[in-house]
Amino acid sequence: LDGGAGFDRLNGNSADNDLTLTGLNQGTLDKVSFSNIENIYLQGGNDNVTIENGGGLSGLLDGGDGNNTLIVDNHPITIGEDGKIIIGDGGSGSGGSGGSYKNFQNIKGNNSGNQTNKITLNSNSNNVSITGINSGTVDGTAFTNISDINLSGGDDNAIISATGSLSGTLKGGEG
């Protein structure tokens, strides 16, 4: 499926969708290959989205309803003030897609053992709970295989349980 020129939209269905982004605006959705698609709306279902190294969208990926998981391969993750997730550097340099992602309840860093997975929060007051090794929640969104967290600005609250730890750094930022 080739979207060609323009700003295209691909819709999933209400079942559990499996989406893999292999390049900018390209990948597979439930075994159907696509390219030149800038926006994807997965609708309902418990969806799994894998963003491989070099993968991403220039538009919006909306997980829709359900318990959706975003699996990221070696990209920094930023949670914007509007709650949207930005993968890479947001299009300002190499590795960024310029797009954003919403309606994901779980973020999982790909754990191949040779990369550092990072989450950078926004200037809002955020709540982080580190409950396991490189795992926990950020403002209600669960994360696993994330070694570094930057709280950035805002009056943040970070709780580290007795079983919680990060193999990287928890940076408090301003606030």
Side-chain angles (χ1 to χ4, degrees):
L1 176 65
D2 187 342
F7 213 59
D8 306 297
R9 173 178 170 161
L10 178 62
N11 293 313
N13 54 48
S14 60
D16 297 346
N17 293 281
D18 187 17
L19 171 68
T20 301
L21 297 174
T22 57
L24 183 59
N25 301 324
Q26 67 183 24
T28 58
L29 175 60
D30 296 331
K31 299 182 183 180
V32 175
S33 296
F34 65 88
S35 61
N36 299 311
I37 302 289
E38 295 80 11
N39 300 285
I40 299 177
Y41 293 78
L42 294 177
Q43 313 299 325
N46 298 326
D47 306 313
N48 284 315
V49 175
T50 301
I51 303 174
E52 293 182 352
N53 198 7
L57 294 177
S58 58
L60 174 67
L61 172 60
D62 187 338
D65 295 332
N67 187 15
N68 304 311
T69 300
L70 189 60
I71 303 165
V72 181
D73 185 12
N74 202 20
H75 293 290
I77 302 163
T78 303
I79 299 178
E81 294 189 25
D82 57 0
K84 289 182 182 171
I85 301 166
I86 301 167
I87 307 297
D89 58 13
S92 63
S94 64
S97 65
S100 60
Y101 305 79
K102 70 176 189 176
N103 293 322
F104 286 90
Q105 293 71 35
N106 305 288
I107 299 173
K108 182 178 181 181
N110 189 359
N111 190 15
S112 65
N114 62 354
Q115 79 258 5
T116 301
N117 299 307
K118 302 176 183 179
I119 291 181
T120 300
L121 300 177
N122 51 54
S123 62
N124 295 336
S125 295
N126 298 289
N127 292 303
V128 175
S129 180
I130 301 169
T131 56
I133 299 171
N134 295 335
S135 64
T137 61
V138 174
D139 292 332
T141 299
F143 67 86
T144 55
N145 297 329
I146 303 294
S147 59
D148 295 79
I149 298 175
N150 183 345
L151 299 174
S152 295
D155 296 331
D156 304 307
N157 185 30
I159 298 171
I160 303 173
S161 74
T163 58
S165 66
L166 294 177
S167 61
T169 304
L170 175 63
K171 184 176 179 183
E174 296 183 26

